[in-house]
Amino acid sequence: MSTSRRTSLVATLVLLAMTASWGSTFFLIKDLLDRVPTLDFLALRFAIAGLVMTAVAPRALARLSAESRRRAVVLGGVYGVAQILQTAGLAHTPASVSGFITGMYVVCTPLLAAVLLRTRITPLAWAAVALAATGLGVLTLDGFSVGYGEAITLVAAVLYALHIVALGAWANAREALGMSIVQLLVIAVICLVATAPDGVVLPDNGRDWLSIVYMALVAGALALIGQTWAQSHLPPTRSAIVMSMEPVFAAFFAVLLGGESLTGRMVTGGLLVLAAMLVVEAAPRRKVEGEVQHLAV
C-alpha cells in the first residue's frame, strides 16, 4: 500500500471515528434538552470545548497564519449559523424529517465542490451519493411535508455542505489544531449571542454536566480536530459520504444504550449508507476528484 493510500485510509478511519462520536450524542442530547434549552446547551458545549483547547494548546493558535485564522473564523461562522438554523427548524418539523433534510449535505457537497472548486465528480461517486441519500431516507424519513421548518433546515444542510467543501479546500494537517480551536470559539460566540437575550440556563446536576463535558471535549473538540485533519487529506465528496454514517451510528447507540428497539428500517437504511461508504472507499483514486483547489475567502 502506497504512503498516500495509507494516509487516505487513516484519514477515513479518523473521520469515521468522529462521526461515531457525533452519533453517540443523539440519545444524550434528547434527554438533556428536557432540562436545558437547545441554544444554551450549544453555547455551553462549544464554549467549554474552545476554552479547554485554548488552555491546552495556546501555541497552536499562535502558530496560525493570518490567512488561516481568517479562514477558521469564516468556517466557524458558517457552522455556527448552520447549528442555529437546524435547531430552529427542529422546533417546526418532526425530528425524523429534520434528520433526513440535514443529511442532504451528502448531496449538496458534490454540487458545491463542482461549482466552487471546479472538481469533476465521477459517476461512481454520484452513485455513492444517491445510495447514501436513499439510505438516509429509509433510516430517518416517516412522512414529509415542506414548510418553514423544512426550508430553514435545508439552508442548514447547504451550510454544512459549504463547511465541508471549504474545510477540504483550506485545511492543512500542520494547522488543524489551531484552526479547530478558532472554529470552536467562533461557534460558541455565535450561540452565546443567539441565546443571551433570554439568559443562559445551566445544568443543575452532575449527570448533565458530565454529558455536556463529554459532548464538548470528545464529540466537540476532538471530533472537530479530527475532521479538520482528515479533510486535509480527503476530497469533500468522499468526506460527506463517510459522514453520512452519523445517523447510522445514532441508531446504533440508541438501540445499544438508549433502550430503543431495532427495526427493519434501521437495518436496511444503515446497510445502504454503509454500502455507499464502501463503494467510495473501494473505488480507484482519480486525481481530478481528489485534488483540493483553493477557495477564495
Side-chain angles (χ1 to χ4, degrees):
M1 183 183 291
S2 66
T3 301
S4 61
R5 181 77 180 186
R6 187 180 300 111
T7 301
S8 179
L9 178 59
V10 171
T12 299
L13 292 175
V14 168
L15 204 58
L16 196 60
M18 175 218 77
T19 303
S21 75
W22 282 355
S24 72
T25 67
F26 276 62
F27 75 96
L28 294 174
I29 293 173
K30 183 178 179 181
D31 175 62
L32 183 67
L33 293 185
D34 289 336
R35 296 174 294 281
V36 180
T38 302
L39 283 176
D40 301 61
F41 154 69
L42 290 174
L44 192 58
R45 173 184 177 181
F46 287 109
I48 291 173
L51 292 174
V52 168
M53 293 311 298
T54 300
V56 169
R59 292 183 181 179
L61 282 176
R63 286 195 299 266
L64 279 179
S65 65
E67 183 180 45
S68 293
R69 193 175 294 113
R70 183 172 66 251
R71 288 174 169 178
V73 168
V74 173
L75 288 166
V78 169
Y79 195 93
V81 173
Q83 287 272 306
I84 292 173
L85 288 177
Q86 182 187 5
T87 301
L90 191 57
H92 300 279
T93 190
S96 59
V97 175
S98 176
F100 172 73
I101 297 175
T102 302
M104 285 299 96
Y105 65 72
V106 75
V107 176
C108 298
T109 297
L111 293 173
L112 289 175
V115 172
L116 299 176
L117 304 182
R118 295 184 174 86
T119 55
R120 187 167 74 84
I121 312 302
T122 66
L124 193 60
W126 279 117
V129 166
L131 197 58
T134 302
L136 287 170
V138 173
L139 185 65
T140 64
L141 208 55
D142 186 16
F144 187 83
S145 61
V146 178
Y148 170 75
E150 289 77 16
I152 61 174
T153 304
L154 182 59
V155 174
V158 173
L159 289 177
Y160 284 132
L162 182 60
H163 180 266
I164 292 170
V165 171
L167 192 59
W170 291 342
N172 66 77
R174 185 176 60 85
E175 295 186 315
L177 180 55
M179 289 186 71
S180 298
I181 294 172
V182 172
Q183 288 182 77
L184 289 167
L185 293 173
V186 171
I187 296 167
V189 169
I190 289 174
C191 292
L192 282 169
V193 169
T195 193
D198 298 323
V200 179
V201 176
L202 299 177
D204 60 5
N205 63 77
R207 178 185 166 194
D208 287 350
W209 274 111
L210 189 61
S211 292
I212 287 178
V213 169
Y214 166 74
M215 287 184 277
L217 299 184
V218 177
L222 289 180
L224 189 56
I225 292 167
Q227 181 187 4
T228 303
W229 177 85
Q231 283 205 240
S232 69
H233 299 287
L234 298 173
T237 300
R238 186 176 170 199
S239 298
I241 292 171
V242 174
M243 290 163 65
S244 69
M245 284 288 292
E246 180 181 356
V248 179
F249 283 118
F252 171 77
F253 284 111
V255 171
L256 184 67
L257 302 175
E260 294 192 17
S261 300
L262 183 65
T263 66
R265 284 182 55 181
M266 285 183 183
V267 174
T268 303
L271 288 176
L272 285 170
V273 176
L274 179 61
M277 191 188 73
L278 294 177
V279 165
V280 80
E281 281 304 306
R285 294 288 162 257
R286 293 186 57 169
K287 186 178 181 182
V288 67
E289 205 273 341
E291 286 177 343
V292 174
Q293 303 176 29
H294 286 292
L295 177 66
V297 176

